[in-house]
Amino acid sequence: MMRILRLLVLLLLIASSFAVATPQSSNTTQQPGLFLGTAWYPEQWPESRWDTDLQLMQQAGIRFVRVAEFAWSTMEPQEGQYNFDWLEKAIALAQKHGIYVVLGTPTAAPPAWLTFKYPDTLRTEENGQRAKHGNRQHFDFTSERYRQFCHQIAGEMAKRFGHNPNVIGWQIDNEYATYSYDPETQRQFQEWLKKKYGTLDSLNQHWTTAYWSQTYDKWEEIPIPVGYNNPGLMLEWKRFVSDTYRSYQKNQIDAIRQYADPRQWITHNFMGWFDGFDHYVVSADLDMASWDNYVGTGQLDPAGNGMIHDLTRGFKRKNYWVMETQPGNVNWSGINNVLDKGEVREMAWEDIGHGADAVGYWQWRSALGGQEQYHGTLVGPDGKPMPLYPEVAEVGKEFAKVGDLLRGTSPVAQVAILHSYDSRWAIDWQKHTKEYDQFANFKSYYKPLHELADTIDVVNPKAPLDEYKLIVAPNLNLLPEEEAKHLLAFVQAGGHLVLGPRSGMKDQFNALLPERQPGPLASALGAHVAQYYALDQPVPLTGDFGSGEAKIWAELLQPDAADTKVLEKYGKSNGWLDDQAAIVTHNYGKGTITYVGAWLPDDAMTALAKWMIETSGVKSEFTNVPAGVEVCRRTGQGKDVFIVINHTKQPQQIALPYAMREQLRSTPPLTEIELAGRDVAVLTK
Ligand code: GLA
């Protein structure tokens, strides 16, 4: 007995000395599995109010605030005079309420003293005019002087808060979006080109500058493209912008990393489908991606939104945060309607289902002044809860309840859809038909595939592909040799690659390949595209995936190998396409390569998705889920957790694949569940 007691005392001593020795790590282990949060601007309110706000947040289950991302003029009211005491107090008070802090660097809104004294830090618009003070994002992303100021303020913040146990992470800047067209940016672009191409001969050749006498004799002659321009120049400008945002961001990451504990992660809040730069490049130096998820006008589009979640998860190929989302309504859309009752909760769970570990509402309380007075909030200008507050509080309770269950889990996919900014830009600059909306094209593949395979990855074509059974490339317009080899290796090893229209048309310089589509994949496909057609009229289609009409785009596929199978054909239309192949497939190595030449109607797309899933051997647990019900799966820690969301307004009966417990309601094992309109279930074995 004594020996047992002594052992117990010893164990207790070890445990307590551990707690004293590592207060930060013990703090970190208490972090919730799922974070609910909000953007909070204490600098806009009297200190005497902060405790009330934090108490209201705590009551709603809020576990993080993002602060300071627009507080430069409060943190550094004059050049070199820093004032962080208020922020330290706010962070400490948040801690008292169990609320963690994400610090934003304030560089999206440089203060007036800075831009007035150093106007060269202001960006130049396309028309050559300097941006004026009074809005945000008025900085010049290439300005060395501006970068020094950014380094300084980020470093000062990290010096002060880099060891603060309640600060868990950093957001650099806010929603990168703007470029600058000043002479210094142009000079840097020319330098960048020189480094990449080495000689002007090489550049002239890759850009075909003999066309329209564009031939460059000096690097200084190369312009920044404005409007439609040489496709090679346009693509390299976007790549330069991507590298420039990466270095703009790295400058601040380095400043923070000099002082901050490694446990503090660094992110940036991206903007979903926005394509102002290559997000794979800009996220390379981040610990984690995050994004700002807004509906704007109308209601949630579950497939479109889910697709962007998966796109964001693909930036780092791991879980991410929804740093901002709309508490009911925004102020910047055509019609700023409030989301339906229950829809904000529905959205929060879709976020989690796709691999977000946090959902943050923008913003906590309406600022009395400033440009966003009409935006949705959780408390009103009077400081009292808005009608949405109880719904968010319910989400808070639910996150607390199942946070531990979801900790360490993430979506694991057998299907990947390839997404490349180079290809998106190339198509958008020369759409060939104004109807060619790439979001819609991408979604036409994503939606039926996600309905059949609960989890889809959206990744860059350079990503490792071995773990997938099926790879779908809806718009791989640029297909550099290296990427083609990477895809062929996947097929050779037994995978199924499905190419969509406009695939394999161009090289890495945005020049047409001197061969027909899909260029380097044509021989493996055993077919090529003889001609593409922008459609002014729908074209009939018939074949394995049913009859219907192709719209917007059709490619005439010409089989070259005896064993190439035609799966779908065009009917009578413009004469050229009559009875020609629209979809072909061919075995290559141990795998299969398929080409879809037309923009398919929904029914054919659903049938195609079913065929792709079946022939690729992709398995999922839920089958026969009612339309409008989404199933998401997170895997890890030896378990699967299913998040099932009824996106319809009507109740739905859902048959479960095996006996499952519903974890939000703590039910016993069930084989069927009924979900009310916009309701959610979290299910495990
Ligand atoms: C963006 C910004 C926020 C705010 C919201 C409003 O996401 O990051 O500062 O302006 O939009 O919707």
Side-chain angles (χ1 to χ4, degrees):
M1 188 64 190
M2 274 310 279
R3 272 199 20 219
I4 291 174
L5 261 181
R6 234 179 305 165
L7 195 67
L8 268 178
V9 170
L10 192 68
L11 279 176
L12 271 175
L13 272 176
I14 292 172
S16 63
S17 72
F18 213 75
V20 172
T22 57
Q24 279 156 19
S25 58
S26 70
N27 180 305
T28 316
T29 57
Q30 288 159 20
Q31 285 183 25
L34 295 176
F35 275 96
L36 188 74
T38 187
W40 181 44
Y41 299 95
E43 71 275 21
Q44 294 169 11
W45 302 98
E47 203 183 310
S48 55
R49 165 72 199 189
W50 296 353
D51 198 56
T52 312
D53 278 322
L54 290 161
Q55 209 173 323
L56 278 168
M57 288 182 206
Q58 187 177 9
Q59 277 165 23
I62 282 177
R63 300 302 309 275
F64 86 92
V65 283
R66 187 200 57 191
V67 296
E69 87 280 8
F70 289 114
W72 200 336
S73 64
T74 312
M75 292 189 287
E76 190 181 359
Q78 286 305 318
E79 185 172 351
Q81 289 175 21
Y82 298 101
N83 171 21
F84 292 121
D85 292 349
W86 65 275
L87 187 51
E88 181 132 16
K89 279 187 204 155
I91 295 171
L93 208 55
Q95 185 166 17
K96 254 185 54 192
H97 290 275
I99 295 174
Y100 292 91
V101 172
V102 177
L103 281 177
T105 68
T107 51
W113 60 257
L114 195 161
T115 55
F116 187 77
K117 189 164 170 198
Y118 306 104
D120 54 308
T121 59
L122 288 166
R123 73 185 158 79
T124 300
E125 319 256 11
E126 280 185 354
N127 61 11
Q129 289 201 337
R130 264 216 177 120
K132 301 234 176 346
H133 199 88
N135 268 299
R136 57 180 169 179
Q137 294 173 320
H138 42 292
F139 64 89
D140 177 346
F141 68 158
T142 63
S143 158
E144 195 41 49
R145 194 199 304 276
Y146 189 59
R147 288 182 178 210
Q148 281 166 14
F149 275 109
C150 294
H151 195 272
Q152 188 67 24
I153 187 74
E156 293 293 334
M157 288 176 79
K159 235 187 254 173
R160 186 75 176 249
F161 304 112
H163 305 301
N164 188 309
N166 204 41
V167 173
I168 52 172
W170 296 79
Q171 174 190 298
I172 307 286
D173 204 277
N174 192 77
E175 294 189 342
Y176 308 135
T178 52
Y179 314 153
S180 186
Y181 295 80
D182 61 294
E184 171 56 16
T185 303
Q186 184 177 359
R187 193 196 61 75
Q188 291 188 21
F189 177 43
Q190 291 159 349
E191 275 302 311
W192 184 95
L193 289 168
K194 203 192 276 183
K195 229 165 123 193
K196 174 157 186 183
Y197 286 85
T199 65
L200 279 168
D201 278 353
S202 160
L203 180 146
N204 281 318
Q205 189 218 323
H206 286 303
W207 295 4
T208 321
T209 53
Y211 180 85
W212 285 357
S213 274
Q214 290 166 15
T215 314
Y216 297 109
D217 307 304
K218 295 192 186 67
W219 296 98
E220 298 77 54
E221 292 167 355
I222 301 172
I224 296 178
V226 173
Y228 184 50
N229 219 299
N230 179 301
L233 172 67
M234 289 178 82
L235 180 60
E236 296 300 16
W237 165 247
K238 286 284 191 196
R239 288 174 173 156
F240 165 79
V241 163
S242 308
D243 281 358
T244 303
Y245 261 121
R246 182 178 177 184
S247 64
Y248 170 82
Q249 174 177 266
K250 184 73 169 40
N251 173 51
Q252 295 191 43
I253 293 178
D254 290 346
I256 292 170
R257 282 284 165 238
Q258 274 183 79
Y259 304 107
D261 293 339
R263 71 179 165 83
Q264 292 183 341
W265 43 256
I266 301 181
T267 191
H268 171 74
N269 54 336
F270 295 108
M271 287 192 282
W273 190 248
F274 173 73
D275 70 348
F277 48 83
D278 187 320
H279 290 51
Y280 300 102
V281 171
V282 178
S283 31
D285 302 314
L286 296 172
D287 299 309
M288 174 180 85
S290 48
W291 77 290
D292 296 345
N293 182 4
Y294 291 98
V295 170
T297 300
Q299 305 330 119
L300 173 70
D301 163 14
N305 202 57
M307 185 171 100
I308 300 177
H309 278 301
D310 295 347
L311 171 74
T312 308
R313 195 177 73 248
F315 295 158
K316 301 291 296 179
R317 298 184 23 256
K318 62 182 210 184
N319 287 11
Y320 57 94
W321 275 31
V322 170
M323 193 58 86
E324 298 181 16
T325 193
Q326 80 189 53
N329 65 287
V330 299
N331 67 318
W332 43 257
S333 197
I335 301 173
N336 298 312
N337 59 288
V338 176
L339 294 176
D340 287 356
K341 200 167 184 182
E343 198 173 358
V344 164
R345 171 174 173 262
E346 172 193 346
M347 261 184 95
W349 277 108
E350 190 183 44
D351 299 350
I352 303 303
H354 285 264
D357 285 332
V359 178
Y361 291 93
W362 196 95
Q363 62 170 324
W364 173 245
R365 180 177 179 178
S366 319
L368 299 182
Q371 277 90 323
E372 297 173 295
Q373 290 164 311
Y374 277 57
H375 202 283
T377 54
L378 296 180
V379 301
D382 59 352
K384 305 227 169 72
M386 296 294 283
L388 179 69
Y389 175 96
E391 184 172 321
V392 170
E394 192 187 343
V395 177
K397 256 197 215 126
E398 292 174 339
F399 279 15
K401 183 155 191 197
V402 298
D404 278 338
L405 183 74
L406 282 150
R407 190 194 299 277
T409 65
S410 43
V412 178
Q414 301 163 52
V415 181
I417 303 188
L418 301 185
H419 170 270
S420 131
Y421 288 96
D422 287 354
S423 288
R424 259 177 72 188
W425 293 324
I427 293 175
D428 278 345
W429 292 327
Q430 301 180 71
K431 280 156 122 38
H432 212 57
T433 154
K434 63 183 174 27
E435 306 297 331
Y436 211 96
D437 173 349
Q438 293 195 73
F439 185 84
N441 174 48
F442 212 85
K443 201 176 96 179
S444 74
Y445 285 83
Y446 177 88
K447 187 172 182 286
L449 283 169
H450 175 48
E451 278 165 10
L452 294 166
D454 41 46
T455 311
I456 305 284
D457 277 354
V458 176
V459 295
N460 188 262
K462 296 183 188 77
L465 304 175
D466 322 342
E467 66 203 75
Y468 303 114
K469 293 182 173 157
L470 170 65
I471 301 279
V472 182
N475 62 354
L476 208 52
N477 193 237
L478 258 67
L479 191 52
E481 200 64 44
E482 278 310 298
E483 279 172 31
K485 279 194 194 140
H486 186 44
L487 294 176
L488 280 179
F490 165 78
V491 179
Q492 232 147 8
H496 187 179
L497 170 68
V498 179
L499 299 165
R502 306 179 82 148
S503 291
M505 192 170 195
K506 291 178 148 187
D507 69 10
Q508 67 267 42
F509 302 100
N510 206 8
L512 290 175
L513 289 166
E515 55 198 309
R516 300 291 173 87
Q517 294 163 252
L521 297 178
S523 95
L525 176 68
H528 69 270
V529 176
Q531 163 98 52
Y532 50 84
Y533 298 86
L535 300 180
D536 58 336
Q537 304 282 337
V539 171
L541 272 174
T542 117
D544 289 27
F545 309 123
S547 302
E549 286 182 331
K551 50 181 185 174
I552 302 172
W553 196 265
E555 289 172 4
L556 191 170
L557 304 181
Q558 183 71 58
D560 297 317
D563 56 348
T564 302
K565 274 192 239 141
V566 176
L567 300 178
E568 195 84 13
K569 278 185 162 190
Y570 300 107
K572 298 244 172 296
S573 63
N574 62 3
W576 303 109
L577 286 164
D578 299 5
D579 299 322
Q580 301 297 323
I583 303 179
V584 299
T585 191
H586 189 235
N587 294 335
Y588 177 76
K590 291 190 196 143
T592 309
I593 172 163
T594 299
Y595 194 104
V596 181
W599 191 307
L600 298 181
D602 289 351
D603 286 352
M605 199 44 119
T606 305
L608 172 71
K610 208 158 171 258
W611 175 82
M612 291 191 272
I613 295 281
E614 277 165 12
T615 54
S616 315
V618 174
K619 300 267 175 290
S620 58
E621 301 280 12
F622 280 72
T623 46
N624 284 329
V625 177
V629 172
E630 182 180 11
V631 177
C632 301
R633 179 166 43 99
R634 291 180 49 148
T635 305
Q637 314 294 324
K639 63 184 175 240
D640 280 329
V641 184
F642 292 91
I643 293 167
V644 179
I645 310 162
N646 178 5
H647 290 296
T648 75
K649 291 187 185 179
Q650 291 76 41
Q652 302 286 352
Q653 290 288 129
I654 301 138
L656 306 179
Y658 44 83
M660 290 177 155
R661 291 173 194 277
E662 203 293 307
Q663 299 286 349
L664 298 176
R665 302 156 181 88
S666 305
T667 68
L670 309 167
T671 51
E672 194 182 50
I673 189 163
E674 181 174 304
L675 283 183
R678 301 202 183 284
D679 201 359
V680 176
V682 176
L683 297 154
T684 56
K685 213 175 218 156

